[in-house]
Amino acid sequence: DVNERTVRPLDAEGALAYLKGRGDVIANNIFLQGWSNGGSTALNVVFRQGMKVDGFRAVLAFYPG
């Protein structure tokens, strides 16, 4: 079941890993933004990451479900 709690956070975490591996990206300055269901996904990513130092720097969630 593709939803904001189980599968979609994996996409965001995969994107974070990809961006951190690029030479043209500041690895500790990556932000996550989501709208509606994507906002719920973004909040779940923050919950999953906890206080990890190497996670997203910040999250902006517009109208999460």
Side-chain angles (χ1 to χ4, degrees), residues 37-59:
N37 191 266
S40 296
T41 300
L43 293 176
N44 279 302
V45 168
V46 171
F47 179 75
R48 288 164 58 104
Q49 287 186 342
M51 297 300 293
K52 286 176 60 177
V53 175
D54 60 345
F56 287 99
R57 172 97 184 242
V59 172

Side-chain angles (χ1 to χ4, degrees), residues 1-64:
D1 210 15
V2 177
N3 64 51
E4 71 279 359
R5 281 182 237 122
T6 58
V7 177
R8 290 189 176 146
L10 298 174
D11 292 335
E13 292 163 355
L16 178 64
Y18 169 75
L19 290 170
K20 284 182 174 287
R22 292 184 53 96
D24 60 342
V25 173
I26 301 170
N28 65 347
N29 207 21
I30 302 171
F31 296 76
L32 178 62
Q33 175 181 322
W35 185 279
S36 190
N37 191 266
S40 296
T41 300
L43 293 176
N44 279 302
V45 168
V46 171
F47 179 75
R48 288 164 58 104
Q49 287 186 342
M51 297 300 293
K52 286 176 60 177
V53 175
D54 60 345
F56 287 99
R57 172 97 184 242
V59 172
L60 180 59
F62 290 100
Y63 304 103

